[in-house]
Amino acid sequence: MKLQLALDLVNIPEGIALVKEVEQYIDIVEIGTPIVINEGLHAVKAMKEAFPNLQVLADLKIMDAGGYEIMKAAEAGADLVTVLGVSNDMTIKGAVEEAKKQNKLVLVDMINVSDIETRAREVDALGVDYICVHTGYDLQAVGQSPFEDLRTIKRAVKNAKTAVAGGIKLETLPEVIKAQPDLVIVGGGITGQADKAKVAAEMQRLVQQG
């Protein structure tokens, strides 16, 4: 089980400073969609150069032109790139083919997928590396959590690894771990804390215990 830190609301220097605080406790650093919109793929390149030992995920939420956008993210140094589960199968196929060429990984984000179980099976068959249950900010605000969907996907998926994101905090992490995802994605649960290193260290300890 791995721990991914999601950075969403920072610029490049702030992001690098934040990762320095928790670098030893995380496996993957995510350049979130808001950063990509604000800063472009330069943010991915800067993060990979600053932390060559960490994997960097570019949260592009690809919806079209899968192969091309994976290629551009790979050029910037991304190790993993996100594609939306609601996108067309051809887009996901193109992304997977390009990622294999570039020796990169594709994570399919299931945000807003209505039939999670069926789509997880379909996406799994397309050869993606991770399938991620994701409760978005807007749904978190009305109290939704990703745990039940994670259990559903774990039952449906044969090949891909599973990931979970959406409002995970230290106090809810044990419940997440019980569902045995391969990747736990945490944003504000670390970045919003006063002692980020302490919280990240405790999360890493729980994740490694599995």
Side-chain angles (χ1 to χ4, degrees), residues 135 140 146-147 165-169 172 185 187 189:
T135 303
Q140 286 172 48
F147 309 135
I168 297 165
K169 298 178 176 64
T172 57
I185 301 168

Side-chain angles (χ1 to χ4, degrees), residues 62 83-89 92 108-111 113 119 123:
I62 293 170
V83 180
L84 290 177
V86 292
S87 63
N88 189 277
D89 284 3
I92 297 174
V108 167
D109 186 335
M110 300 291 277
I111 194 167
V113 169
R119 190 60 178 146
V123 166

Side-chain angles (χ1 to χ4, degrees), residues 110-153:
M110 300 291 277
I111 194 167
N112 295 339
V113 169
S114 51
D115 182 348
I116 281 216
E117 190 164 355
T118 301
R119 190 60 178 146
R121 283 203 189 91
E122 292 168 354
V123 166
D124 191 32
L126 295 172
V128 306
D129 301 287
Y130 285 94
I131 298 175
C132 180
V133 178
H134 184 183
T135 303
Y137 283 123
D138 298 336
L139 285 178
Q140 286 172 48
V142 293
Q144 283 205 25
S145 84
F147 309 135
E148 196 48 54
D149 287 343
L150 175 58
R151 284 188 276 273
T152 301
I153 282 188

Side-chain angles (χ1 to χ4, degrees), residues 30-146:
E30 170 187 331
I31 301 298
T33 316
I35 301 180
V36 176
I37 288 169
N38 291 336
E39 307 265 7
L41 286 169
H42 302 297
V44 173
K45 191 168 189 289
M47 194 60 71
K48 190 65 184 180
E49 284 172 358
F51 303 99
N53 297 327
L54 288 178
Q55 287 189 298
V56 176
L57 176 141
D59 189 17
L60 300 191
K61 292 192 173 77
I62 293 170
M63 187 72 179
D64 192 18
Y68 177 78
E69 294 192 6
I70 293 277
M71 180 180 72
K72 291 291 139 207
E75 282 172 10
D79 300 288
L80 305 92
V81 188
T82 63
V83 180
L84 290 177
V86 292
S87 63
N88 189 277
D89 284 3
M90 293 308 295
T91 299
I92 297 174
K93 262 190 188 161
V96 167
E97 282 167 17
E98 185 62 30
K100 285 195 176 9
K101 263 193 244 168
Q102 303 276 356
N103 203 21
K104 306 297 181 185
L105 303 176
V106 170
L107 180 146
V108 167
D109 186 335
M110 300 291 277
I111 194 167
N112 295 339
V113 169
S114 51
D115 182 348
I116 281 216
E117 190 164 355
T118 301
R119 190 60 178 146
R121 283 203 189 91
E122 292 168 354
V123 166
D124 191 32
L126 295 172
V128 306
D129 301 287
Y130 285 94
I131 298 175
C132 180
V133 178
H134 184 183
T135 303
Y137 283 123
D138 298 336
L139 285 178
Q140 286 172 48
V142 293
Q144 283 205 25
S145 84

